Amino acid sequence: MATIETDIDLDALKKSGKRGRELVNFAFKELQYDGEKLLHTAIYAGAPHVNHIYAASMLGYSAATLRNWSSQSNGPIQPKRINGTPYWRMRDIRNLLDL
């Protein structure tokens, strides 16, 4: 796992016993992380993609903006559809943020 220079609570993340998207979900709902903290948690967890709510928080946009990007195919990044549900690739989010 990557070294992260932010104030996320690594002990709480490890104690949760969760991995990947479940860890990101835990950080958002239980630890109330958003924005940069959520981004670093997703990187730490190795999550390949996230839903539009988490992606919007990481990017600093509203969830409606990302839904518009998806439906109109006019945003700087596009989601990957999994069983018809759009998920946003972490590599695209990182590239957009120059990380």
Coordinates of all heavy atoms in Angstrom, one line a residue:
M1 N 0.8 -1.2 0.0 CA 0.0 0.0 0.0 C 0.9 1.2 0.0 O 2.0 1.2 0.5 CB -0.9 0.0 1.2 CG -1.9 -1.1 1.2 SD -3.1 -0.9 2.5 CE -3.9 -2.5 2.3
A2 N 0.4 2.3 -0.6 CA 1.1 3.5 -0.7 C 1.2 4.3 0.6 O 0.3 4.2 1.4 CB 0.5 4.4 -1.8
T3 N 2.3 5.1 0.7 CA 2.4 6.0 1.9 C 1.6 7.2 1.6 O 1.7 7.8 0.5 CB 3.9 6.4 2.1 OG1 4.6 5.2 2.3 CG2 4.0 7.3 3.3
I4 N 0.8 7.7 2.5 CA -0.1 8.8 2.3 C 0.3 9.9 3.3 O 0.4 9.6 4.5 CB -1.5 8.4 2.5 CG1 -1.9 7.2 1.5 CG2 -2.5 9.5 2.3 CD1 -3.2 6.6 1.7
E5 N 0.4 11.1 2.8 CA 0.7 12.2 3.7 C -0.5 13.1 3.9 O -0.7 14.0 3.2 CB 1.9 13.0 3.1 CG 3.2 12.3 3.1 CD 4.3 13.1 2.5 OE1 4.2 14.3 2.5 OE2 5.3 12.5 2.1
T6 N -1.4 12.6 4.7 CA -2.6 13.3 5.1 C -3.0 12.9 6.5 O -2.4 12.0 7.0 CB -3.7 13.0 4.0 OG1 -4.8 13.9 4.3 CG2 -4.2 11.6 4.0
D7 N -4.1 13.5 7.0 CA -4.4 13.2 8.3 C -5.6 12.2 8.4 O -6.4 12.2 9.3 CB -4.8 14.5 9.1 CG -5.9 15.3 8.4 OD1 -6.3 14.9 7.3 OD2 -6.3 16.2 9.0
I8 N -5.6 11.2 7.5 CA -6.6 10.1 7.7 C -6.1 9.2 8.8 O -4.9 9.1 9.2 CB -6.7 9.3 6.4 CG1 -5.4 8.6 6.0 CG2 -7.2 10.1 5.2 CD1 -5.6 7.6 4.8
D9 N -7.1 8.6 9.5 CA -6.8 7.8 10.6 C -6.5 6.3 10.2 O -7.5 5.5 10.0 CB -8.0 7.8 11.6 CG -7.8 7.1 12.9 OD1 -6.8 6.4 13.0 OD2 -8.6 7.3 13.8
L10 N -5.3 6.0 9.9 CA -4.9 4.7 9.4 C -5.3 3.6 10.4 O -5.7 2.5 10.0 CB -3.4 4.7 9.1 CG -3.0 5.5 7.9 CD1 -1.5 5.4 7.7 CD2 -3.7 5.0 6.6
D11 N -5.2 3.9 11.7 CA -5.5 2.9 12.7 C -7.0 2.5 12.6 O -7.3 1.3 12.7 CB -5.2 3.4 14.1 CG -3.7 3.4 14.4 OD1 -2.9 2.7 13.7 OD2 -3.3 4.3 15.2
A12 N -7.8 3.5 12.5 CA -9.3 3.2 12.4 C -9.6 2.5 11.1 O -10.4 1.5 11.1 CB -10.1 4.5 12.4
L13 N -8.9 2.8 10.0 CA -9.1 2.1 8.7 C -8.6 0.6 8.9 O -9.4 -0.3 8.4 CB -8.3 2.8 7.6 CG -8.8 4.2 7.3 CD1 -7.9 4.8 6.2 CD2 -10.3 4.2 6.8
K14 N -7.5 0.4 9.5 CA -7.0 -1.0 9.7 C -7.9 -1.8 10.6 O -8.2 -2.9 10.3 CB -5.6 -0.9 10.2 CG -4.6 -0.5 9.2 CD -3.2 -0.4 9.9 CE -2.2 0.2 8.9 NZ -0.9 0.4 9.5
K15 N -8.4 -1.2 11.7 CA -9.2 -1.9 12.6 C -10.6 -2.2 12.0 O -11.2 -3.2 12.5 CB -9.4 -1.0 13.9 CG -8.2 -0.9 14.8 CD -8.5 0.0 16.0 CE -7.2 0.1 16.8 NZ -7.4 1.1 17.9
S16 N -11.0 -1.5 11.0 CA -12.3 -1.8 10.4 C -12.3 -3.2 9.8 O -13.4 -3.8 9.7 CB -12.7 -0.7 9.4 OG -11.9 -0.9 8.2
G17 N -11.2 -3.7 9.3 CA -11.1 -5.0 8.7 C -11.7 -5.0 7.3 O -11.8 -6.0 6.7
K18 N -11.9 -3.8 6.8 CA -12.5 -3.7 5.4 C -11.4 -3.4 4.4 O -10.4 -2.9 4.7 CB -13.6 -2.6 5.4 CG -14.7 -2.9 6.4 CD -15.8 -1.9 6.3 CE -16.8 -2.1 7.4 NZ -17.4 -3.4 7.4
R19 N -11.8 -3.7 3.1 CA -10.8 -3.5 2.0 C -11.5 -2.9 0.8 O -12.7 -3.0 0.7 CB -10.2 -4.8 1.6 CG -9.4 -5.5 2.7 CD -8.9 -6.8 2.2 NE -7.5 -6.8 2.7 CZ -6.6 -7.5 2.2 NH1 -6.8 -8.2 1.1 NH2 -5.4 -7.5 2.7
G20 N -10.8 -2.3 0.0 CA -11.3 -1.7 -1.3 C -12.4 -0.8 -1.1 O -12.4 0.1 -0.3
R21 N -13.5 -0.9 -1.9 CA -14.6 0.0 -1.9 C -15.3 -0.1 -0.5 O -15.9 0.9 -0.1 CB -15.6 -0.4 -3.0 CG -15.1 0.0 -4.4 CD -16.2 -0.2 -5.4 NE -17.0 -1.3 -5.1 CZ -17.6 -2.1 -6.0 NH1 -17.4 -1.8 -7.3 NH2 -18.3 -3.1 -5.7
E22 N -15.3 -1.2 0.1 CA -16.0 -1.3 1.5 C -15.3 -0.4 2.4 O -15.9 0.3 3.3 CB -15.9 -2.7 2.0 CG -16.9 -3.6 1.3 CD -16.8 -5.0 1.9 OE1 -16.0 -5.3 2.8 OE2 -17.6 -5.9 1.4
L23 N -13.9 -0.2 2.3 CA -13.2 0.6 3.2 C -13.5 2.1 2.9 O -13.6 2.9 3.8 CB -11.7 0.4 3.1 CG -10.8 1.2 4.0 CD1 -11.1 0.8 5.5 CD2 -9.3 0.9 3.7
V24 N -13.6 2.4 1.6 CA -14.0 3.8 1.2 C -15.4 4.1 1.7 O -15.6 5.2 2.3 CB -13.9 3.9 -0.3 CG1 -14.4 5.3 -0.8 CG2 -12.5 3.7 -0.8
N25 N -16.3 3.2 1.6 CA -17.7 3.4 2.1 C -17.6 3.6 3.7 O -18.3 4.5 4.2 CB -18.5 2.1 1.8 CG -20.0 2.4 2.1 OD1 -20.5 3.4 1.8 ND2 -20.6 1.3 2.7
F26 N -16.8 2.8 4.4 CA -16.7 3.0 5.8 C -16.1 4.4 6.2 O -16.6 5.0 7.1 CB -15.7 1.9 6.4 CG -15.3 2.1 7.8 CD1 -16.2 1.7 8.8 CD2 -14.1 2.6 8.1 CE1 -15.8 1.9 10.1 CE2 -13.7 2.8 9.4 CZ -14.6 2.4 10.4
A27 N -15.1 4.8 5.4 CA -14.5 6.1 5.7 C -15.5 7.2 5.4 O -15.6 8.2 6.2 CB -13.3 6.3 4.8
F28 N -16.4 7.1 4.4 CA -17.3 8.1 4.1 C -18.5 8.2 5.1 O -18.8 9.2 5.7 CB -17.9 7.9 2.7 CG -18.8 9.0 2.2 CD1 -18.4 10.2 1.8 CD2 -20.2 8.7 2.2 CE1 -19.2 11.1 1.3 CE2 -21.1 9.7 1.8 CZ -20.6 10.9 1.3
K29 N -19.0 7.0 5.4 CA -20.2 6.9 6.3 C -19.9 7.0 7.8 O -20.5 7.7 8.5 CB -21.0 5.7 6.0 CG -21.7 5.8 4.6 CD -22.6 4.6 4.4 CE -23.2 4.8 3.0 NZ -24.2 3.7 2.7
E30 N -18.9 6.2 8.2 CA -18.6 6.1 9.6 C -17.6 7.2 10.1 O -17.8 7.8 11.1 CB -18.0 4.8 10.0 CG -18.9 3.6 9.6 CD -20.2 3.7 10.4 OE1 -20.2 4.0 11.6 OE2 -21.3 3.3 9.8
L31 N -16.5 7.5 9.3 CA -15.5 8.5 9.7 C -15.9 9.8 9.2 O -15.2 10.8 9.5 CB -14.1 8.0 9.3 CG -13.6 6.7 9.8 CD1 -12.3 6.4 9.2 CD2 -13.6 6.7 11.3
Q32 N -16.9 9.9 8.3 CA -17.4 11.1 7.7 C -16.3 11.9 6.9 O -16.2 13.1 7.0 CB -18.0 12.0 8.7 CG -19.2 11.4 9.4 CD -19.9 12.3 10.4 OE1 -19.5 13.3 10.7 NE2 -21.1 11.8 10.8
Y33 N -15.5 11.1 6.2 CA -14.4 11.7 5.3 C -15.1 12.2 4.1 O -16.1 11.6 3.6 CB -13.4 10.6 4.9 CG -12.4 10.3 6.0 CD1 -12.4 10.9 7.3 CD2 -11.4 9.3 5.8 CE1 -11.5 10.5 8.2 CE2 -10.5 9.0 6.7 CZ -10.5 9.6 8.0 OH -9.6 9.2 8.9
D34 N -14.5 13.3 3.5 CA -14.9 13.7 2.2 C -13.7 14.4 1.6 O -12.6 14.5 2.2 CB -16.1 14.7 2.3 CG -15.8 16.0 3.0 OD1 -14.7 16.1 3.6 OD2 -16.6 16.9 3.1
G35 N -13.8 14.7 0.3 CA -12.8 15.4 -0.4 C -11.4 14.7 -0.4 O -11.3 13.5 -0.7
E36 N -10.4 15.4 0.1 CA -9.0 14.9 0.0 C -8.9 13.6 0.9 O -8.2 12.7 0.5 CB -8.1 16.0 0.5 CG -6.6 15.6 0.3 CD -5.7 16.7 0.7 OE1 -6.1 17.8 0.9 OE2 -4.5 16.4 0.8
K37 N -9.5 13.6 2.1 CA -9.4 12.5 3.0 C -9.9 11.2 2.3 O -9.4 10.1 2.4 CB -10.0 12.7 4.3 CG -9.3 13.6 5.3 CD -10.0 13.6 6.6 CE -9.2 14.4 7.6 NZ -9.9 14.3 8.9
L38 N -11.1 11.4 1.6 CA -11.7 10.3 1.0 C -10.9 9.8 -0.2 O -10.7 8.6 -0.4 CB -13.1 10.6 0.5 CG -14.0 9.5 0.1 CD1 -14.2 8.5 1.2 CD2 -15.3 10.0 -0.4
L39 N -10.3 10.7 -0.9 CA -9.4 10.4 -2.0 C -8.2 9.6 -1.5 O -7.9 8.5 -2.1 CB -8.9 11.7 -2.7 CG -7.8 11.5 -3.8 CD1 -8.4 10.7 -5.0 CD2 -7.3 12.8 -4.2
H40 N -7.6 10.0 -0.5 CA -6.4 9.3 0.0 C -6.8 8.0 0.6 O -6.0 7.0 0.5 CB -5.7 10.2 1.1 CG -4.9 11.3 0.4 ND1 -3.9 11.1 -0.4 CD2 -5.1 12.6 0.5 CE1 -3.4 12.3 -0.8 NE2 -4.2 13.2 -0.3
T41 N -8.0 7.9 1.2 CA -8.5 6.6 1.7 C -8.7 5.6 0.5 O -8.3 4.4 0.6 CB -9.8 6.7 2.4 OG1 -9.6 7.6 3.6 CG2 -10.3 5.4 2.9
A42 N -9.2 6.1 -0.6 CA -9.4 5.2 -1.8 C -8.1 4.8 -2.3 O -7.9 3.6 -2.8 CB -10.2 5.9 -2.8
I43 N -7.1 5.7 -2.4 CA -5.8 5.3 -2.8 C -5.2 4.3 -1.9 O -4.6 3.2 -2.3 CB -4.9 6.5 -2.9 CG1 -5.4 7.5 -4.0 CG2 -3.4 6.1 -3.2 CD1 -4.8 8.8 -4.0
Y44 N -5.3 4.5 -0.6 CA -4.7 3.6 0.4 C -5.4 2.2 0.3 O -4.7 1.2 0.4 CB -5.0 4.1 1.8 CG -4.7 3.2 2.9 CD1 -3.4 3.0 3.4 CD2 -5.7 2.5 3.6 CE1 -3.1 2.1 4.4 CE2 -5.4 1.6 4.6 CZ -4.1 1.4 5.0 OH -3.8 0.5 6.0
A45 N -6.7 2.2 0.0 CA -7.5 0.9 -0.1 C -7.2 0.2 -1.4 O -7.6 -1.0 -1.5 CB -8.9 1.2 0.1
G46 N -6.7 0.9 -2.4 CA -6.5 0.3 -3.7 C -7.8 0.1 -4.4 O -7.9 -0.8 -5.3
A47 N -8.8 0.9 -4.1 CA -10.1 0.8 -4.8 C -9.9 1.2 -6.3 O -9.4 2.3 -6.6 CB -11.1 1.7 -4.1
P48 N -10.3 0.3 -7.2 CA -10.2 0.7 -8.6 C -11.2 1.7 -9.1 O -10.9 2.4 -10.1 CB -10.4 -0.7 -9.3 CG -11.2 -1.5 -8.4 CD -10.9 -1.0 -7.0
H49 N -12.3 1.8 -8.5 CA -13.3 2.7 -8.9 C -14.3 3.1 -7.7 O -14.3 2.3 -6.8 CB -14.1 2.2 -10.1 CG -14.6 0.8 -9.9 ND1 -13.9 -0.3 -10.4 CD2 -15.7 0.3 -9.3 CE1 -14.6 -1.4 -10.1 NE2 -15.7 -1.0 -9.4
V50 N -15.0 4.2 -7.9 CA -15.9 4.6 -6.8 C -17.2 5.1 -7.5 O -17.3 5.4 -8.6 CB -15.3 5.8 -5.9 CG1 -14.1 5.3 -5.1 CG2 -14.9 7.0 -6.8
N51 N -18.3 5.2 -6.6 CA -19.5 5.7 -7.2 C -19.5 7.2 -7.4 O -18.5 7.9 -7.1 CB -20.7 5.3 -6.3 CG -20.7 6.0 -4.9 OD1 -20.2 7.1 -4.7 ND2 -21.3 5.3 -4.0
H52 N -20.6 7.8 -8.0 CA -20.6 9.2 -8.3 C -20.5 10.1 -7.1 O -20.0 11.2 -7.2 CB -21.7 9.5 -9.3 CG -23.1 9.5 -8.6 ND1 -23.7 8.3 -8.4 CD2 -23.9 10.4 -8.2 CE1 -24.9 8.5 -7.8 NE2 -25.0 9.8 -7.7
I53 N -21.1 9.7 -6.0 CA -21.1 10.5 -4.8 C -19.7 10.7 -4.3 O -19.2 11.8 -3.9 CB -22.0 9.9 -3.7 CG1 -23.5 10.0 -4.2 CG2 -21.9 10.7 -2.4 CD1 -24.5 9.2 -3.4
Y54 N -18.9 9.6 -4.2 CA -17.6 9.6 -3.7 C -16.7 10.4 -4.7 O -15.8 11.2 -4.3 CB -17.0 8.3 -3.4 CG -17.8 7.5 -2.4 CD1 -17.8 6.1 -2.4 CD2 -18.7 8.1 -1.5 CE1 -18.5 5.3 -1.5 CE2 -19.4 7.3 -0.6 CZ -19.3 6.0 -0.6 OH -20.0 5.2 0.3
A55 N -16.8 10.1 -6.0 CA -16.0 10.8 -7.0 C -16.3 12.3 -6.9 O -15.3 13.1 -7.0 CB -16.3 10.2 -8.4
A56 N -17.5 12.7 -6.8 CA -17.9 14.1 -6.8 C -17.2 14.8 -5.6 O -16.6 15.9 -5.7 CB -19.4 14.3 -6.7
S57 N -17.2 14.1 -4.4 CA -16.6 14.6 -3.2 C -15.1 14.8 -3.4 O -14.5 15.8 -3.1 CB -16.9 13.7 -2.0 OG -16.2 14.1 -0.9
M58 N -14.5 13.8 -4.0 CA -13.0 13.8 -4.3 C -12.6 15.0 -5.2 O -11.6 15.6 -5.1 CB -12.5 12.5 -4.9 CG -12.6 11.3 -3.9 SD -12.2 9.8 -4.8 CE -12.7 8.6 -3.6
L59 N -13.5 15.2 -6.2 CA -13.2 16.2 -7.3 C -13.7 17.6 -6.9 O -13.3 18.6 -7.6 CB -13.8 15.8 -8.6 CG -13.2 14.5 -9.2 CD1 -14.1 14.0 -10.4 CD2 -11.8 14.7 -9.7
G60 N -14.5 17.7 -5.9 CA -15.0 19.0 -5.5 C -16.2 19.5 -6.4 O -16.4 20.7 -6.5
Y61 N -16.9 18.6 -7.0 CA -18.1 18.9 -7.8 C -19.3 18.3 -7.1 O -19.2 17.5 -6.2 CB -18.0 18.3 -9.2 CG -17.0 18.9 -10.1 CD1 -15.7 18.3 -10.3 CD2 -17.2 20.1 -10.7 CE1 -14.8 18.9 -11.1 CE2 -16.3 20.7 -11.5 CZ -15.0 20.1 -11.7 OH -14.1 20.6 -12.5
S62 N -20.5 18.7 -7.6 CA -21.7 18.1 -7.0 C -21.9 16.7 -7.7 O -21.4 16.5 -8.8 CB -22.9 19.0 -7.3 OG -23.3 19.0 -8.6
A63 N -22.7 15.8 -7.1 CA -23.0 14.6 -7.7 C -23.8 14.7 -9.0 O -23.6 14.0 -9.9 CB -23.8 13.7 -6.7
A64 N -24.6 15.8 -9.0 CA -25.4 16.1 -10.2 C -24.5 16.4 -11.4 O -24.8 16.0 -12.5 CB -26.4 17.2 -9.9
T65 N -23.4 17.1 -11.1 CA -22.5 17.4 -12.2 C -21.9 16.1 -12.8 O -21.8 16.0 -14.0 CB -21.3 18.3 -11.7 OG1 -21.9 19.5 -11.3 CG2 -20.3 18.5 -12.8
L66 N -21.5 15.2 -12.0 CA -21.0 13.9 -12.5 C -22.0 13.1 -13.2 O -21.7 12.5 -14.2 CB -20.3 13.1 -11.4 CG -18.8 13.4 -11.2 CD1 -18.6 14.8 -10.7 CD2 -18.2 12.4 -10.4
R67 N -23.3 13.1 -12.7 CA -24.3 12.4 -13.4 C -24.5 13.1 -14.8 O -24.8 12.4 -15.8 CB -25.6 12.5 -12.6 CG -25.6 11.5 -11.4 CD -27.0 11.3 -10.8 NE -27.6 12.6 -10.4 CZ -27.5 13.1 -9.1 NH1 -26.8 12.4 -8.2 NH2 -28.0 14.2 -8.8
N68 N -24.4 14.4 -14.9 CA -24.5 15.1 -16.2 C -23.4 14.7 -17.1 O -23.6 14.4 -18.3 CB -24.6 16.6 -16.0 CG -25.9 17.1 -15.5 OD1 -26.9 16.4 -15.6 ND2 -25.9 18.3 -14.9
W69 N -22.2 14.6 -16.6 CA -21.0 14.2 -17.4 C -21.3 12.8 -18.0 O -21.0 12.5 -19.1 CB -19.8 14.2 -16.6 CG -19.2 15.5 -16.1 CD1 -19.6 16.7 -16.5 CD2 -18.0 15.6 -15.3 NE1 -18.8 17.7 -15.9 CE2 -17.8 17.0 -15.2 CE3 -17.2 14.8 -14.6 CZ2 -16.8 17.6 -14.4 CZ3 -16.2 15.3 -13.9 CH2 -16.0 16.7 -13.8
S70 N -21.8 11.9 -17.1 CA -22.1 10.6 -17.5 C -23.2 10.5 -18.6 O -23.0 9.9 -19.6 CB -22.5 9.7 -16.3 OG -22.9 8.4 -16.7
S71 N -24.3 11.2 -18.4 CA -25.4 11.0 -19.3 C -25.2 11.8 -20.6 O -25.7 11.4 -21.7 CB -26.7 11.5 -18.7 OG -26.6 12.9 -18.4
Q72 N -24.4 12.9 -20.6 CA -24.2 13.7 -21.8 C -22.9 13.5 -22.4 O -22.6 14.0 -23.5 CB -24.4 15.2 -21.4 CG -25.8 15.5 -20.9 CD -25.9 17.0 -20.5 OE1 -25.0 17.8 -20.6 NE2 -27.0 17.3 -19.8
S73 N -22.0 12.6 -21.8 CA -20.7 12.3 -22.3 C -19.9 13.6 -22.6 O -19.2 13.7 -23.6 CB -20.8 11.4 -23.5 OG -21.4 10.2 -23.2
N74 N -19.9 14.6 -21.7 CA -19.3 15.8 -22.0 C -18.3 16.3 -20.9 O -17.8 17.4 -20.9 CB -20.3 16.9 -22.2 CG -21.1 17.3 -21.0 OD1 -21.0 16.6 -20.0 ND2 -21.9 18.3 -21.1
G75 N -18.0 15.4 -20.0 CA -17.1 15.8 -18.9 C -15.6 15.4 -19.2 O -15.4 14.8 -20.2
P76 N -14.7 15.9 -18.4 CA -13.3 15.6 -18.6 C -13.0 14.1 -18.3 O -11.9 13.6 -18.8 CB -12.6 16.5 -17.6 CG -13.6 16.8 -16.5 CD -14.9 16.8 -17.2
I77 N -13.8 13.4 -17.6 CA -13.7 12.0 -17.4 C -15.0 11.3 -17.6 O -16.0 12.0 -17.4 CB -13.0 11.6 -16.1 CG1 -13.9 12.1 -14.9 CG2 -11.6 12.1 -16.0 CD1 -13.4 11.6 -13.5
Q78 N -15.0 10.1 -18.0 CA -16.3 9.3 -18.2 C -16.2 8.1 -17.3 O -15.2 7.5 -17.0 CB -16.4 8.9 -19.6 CG -16.7 10.1 -20.6 CD -18.0 10.8 -20.2 OE1 -19.0 10.2 -20.1 NE2 -17.9 12.1 -20.0
P79 N -17.4 7.7 -16.8 CA -17.4 6.5 -15.9 C -17.4 5.2 -16.7 O -17.6 5.1 -17.9 CB -18.8 6.6 -15.3 CG -19.7 7.3 -16.3 CD -18.7 8.2 -17.0
K80 N -17.0 4.1 -16.0 CA -17.1 2.8 -16.5 C -18.4 2.2 -16.0 O -18.7 2.4 -14.8 CB -15.9 2.0 -15.9 CG -16.0 0.5 -16.3 CD -14.8 -0.2 -15.6 CE -14.8 -1.7 -16.0 NZ -13.8 -2.4 -15.3
R81 N -19.2 1.6 -16.8 CA -20.5 1.0 -16.4 C -20.3 -0.4 -16.0 O -19.7 -1.2 -16.7 CB -21.5 1.1 -17.5 CG -21.8 2.6 -17.8 CD -23.2 2.7 -18.4 NE -23.5 4.1 -18.5 CZ -24.2 4.8 -17.6 NH1 -24.6 4.2 -16.6 NH2 -24.5 6.1 -17.8
I82 N -20.7 -0.7 -14.8 CA -20.7 -2.1 -14.3 C -22.1 -2.5 -13.9 O -22.8 -1.9 -13.1 CB -19.8 -2.2 -13.0 CG1 -18.4 -1.7 -13.3 CG2 -19.8 -3.6 -12.4 CD1 -17.5 -1.6 -12.1
N83 N -22.6 -3.5 -14.7 CA -24.0 -3.9 -14.6 C -25.0 -2.7 -14.7 O -26.0 -2.6 -14.0 CB -24.3 -4.6 -13.2 CG -23.6 -5.9 -13.1 OD1 -23.3 -6.6 -14.1 ND2 -23.2 -6.2 -11.9
G84 N -24.6 -1.8 -15.6 CA -25.4 -0.6 -15.9 C -25.3 0.6 -15.0 O -25.8 1.6 -15.2
T85 N -24.5 0.4 -13.9 CA -24.3 1.5 -13.0 C -22.9 2.1 -13.2 O -21.9 1.5 -13.4 CB -24.3 0.9 -11.5 OG1 -25.5 0.2 -11.3 CG2 -24.1 2.0 -10.5
P86 N -22.9 3.5 -13.3 CA -21.7 4.2 -13.6 C -20.8 4.2 -12.4 O -21.2 4.6 -11.3 CB -22.1 5.6 -14.0 CG -23.4 5.8 -13.4 CD -24.0 4.4 -13.3
Y87 N -19.5 3.8 -12.5 CA -18.5 3.9 -11.5 C -17.3 4.7 -12.1 O -17.0 4.6 -13.3 CB -18.0 2.6 -11.0 CG -19.0 1.9 -10.2 CD1 -19.9 1.0 -10.7 CD2 -19.0 2.1 -8.8 CE1 -20.8 0.3 -9.9 CE2 -19.9 1.4 -8.0 CZ -20.8 0.6 -8.6 OH -21.7 -0.1 -7.7
W88 N -16.7 5.5 -11.3 CA -15.6 6.4 -11.8 C -14.3 5.8 -11.4 O -14.0 5.4 -10.3 CB -15.8 7.8 -11.1 CG -17.2 8.4 -11.5 CD1 -18.3 8.1 -10.9 CD2 -17.4 9.2 -12.6 NE1 -19.4 8.7 -11.6 CE2 -18.8 9.4 -12.7 CE3 -16.7 9.8 -13.6 CZ2 -19.4 10.2 -13.6 CZ3 -17.3 10.6 -14.6 CH2 -18.7 10.8 -14.6
R89 N -13.4 5.7 -12.4 CA -12.1 5.0 -12.2 C -11.2 6.0 -11.4 O -11.1 7.1 -11.7 CB -11.5 4.8 -13.6 CG -12.1 3.8 -14.4 CD -11.4 3.6 -15.8 NE -12.1 2.8 -16.7 CZ -13.0 3.2 -17.6 NH1 -13.2 4.5 -17.7 NH2 -13.6 2.4 -18.4
M90 N -10.6 5.4 -10.4 CA -9.7 6.1 -9.6 C -8.5 6.6 -10.4 O -8.0 7.7 -10.1 CB -9.2 5.2 -8.4 CG -10.2 5.1 -7.3 SD -10.7 6.7 -6.6 CE -9.1 7.3 -6.0
R91 N -8.0 5.9 -11.4 CA -6.9 6.4 -12.2 C -7.3 7.6 -13.0 O -6.5 8.5 -13.1 CB -6.4 5.3 -13.1 CG -7.3 4.9 -14.2 CD -6.6 4.0 -15.2 NE -7.5 3.7 -16.3 CZ -8.0 2.5 -16.5 NH1 -7.6 1.4 -15.8 NH2 -8.8 2.3 -17.5
D92 N -8.6 7.7 -13.4 CA -9.0 8.9 -14.1 C -9.1 10.1 -13.2 O -8.7 11.2 -13.5 CB -10.4 8.7 -14.8 CG -10.3 7.7 -15.9 OD1 -9.2 7.4 -16.4 OD2 -11.4 7.2 -16.3
I93 N -9.6 9.8 -11.9 CA -9.7 10.9 -10.9 C -8.3 11.4 -10.6 O -8.1 12.6 -10.5 CB -10.4 10.4 -9.7 CG1 -11.9 10.1 -10.0 CG2 -10.3 11.4 -8.5 CD1 -12.7 9.4 -8.9
R94 N -7.4 10.5 -10.4 CA -6.0 10.9 -10.0 C -5.3 11.7 -11.2 O -4.6 12.6 -10.9 CB -5.2 9.6 -9.7 CG -5.6 9.0 -8.4 CD -4.8 7.8 -8.0 NE -3.5 8.2 -7.6 CZ -2.6 7.4 -7.1 NH1 -2.8 6.1 -7.0 NH2 -1.4 7.9 -6.7
N95 N -5.6 11.2 -12.4 CA -5.0 11.9 -13.6 C -5.6 13.3 -13.7 O -4.9 14.3 -13.9 CB -5.3 11.2 -14.9 CG -4.4 10.0 -15.0 OD1 -3.3 9.8 -14.3 ND2 -4.8 9.0 -15.8
L96 N -6.9 13.5 -13.4 CA -7.6 14.8 -13.5 C -7.0 15.7 -12.4 O -6.9 16.9 -12.6 CB -9.1 14.6 -13.3 CG -9.9 15.8 -13.6 CD1 -9.7 16.4 -15.0 CD2 -11.4 15.5 -13.4
L97 N -6.7 15.1 -11.3 CA -6.1 16.0 -10.1 C -4.6 16.0 -10.2 O -4.0 16.6 -9.3 CB -6.6 15.4 -8.8 CG -8.1 15.4 -8.6 CD1 -8.5 14.7 -7.3 CD2 -8.6 16.8 -8.5
D98 N -4.0 15.4 -11.2 CA -2.5 15.4 -11.3 C -1.9 14.7 -10.1 O -0.9 15.3 -9.6 CB -1.9 16.8 -11.5 CG -2.3 17.4 -12.9 OD1 -2.4 16.6 -13.9 OD2 -2.4 18.6 -13.0
L99 N -2.4 13.6 -9.7 CA -1.8 12.8 -8.6 C -1.1 11.6 -9.1 O -1.5 10.9 -9.9 CB -2.8 12.4 -7.6 CG -3.5 13.6 -6.8 CD1 -4.6 13.0 -5.9 CD2 -2.5 14.4 -6.0

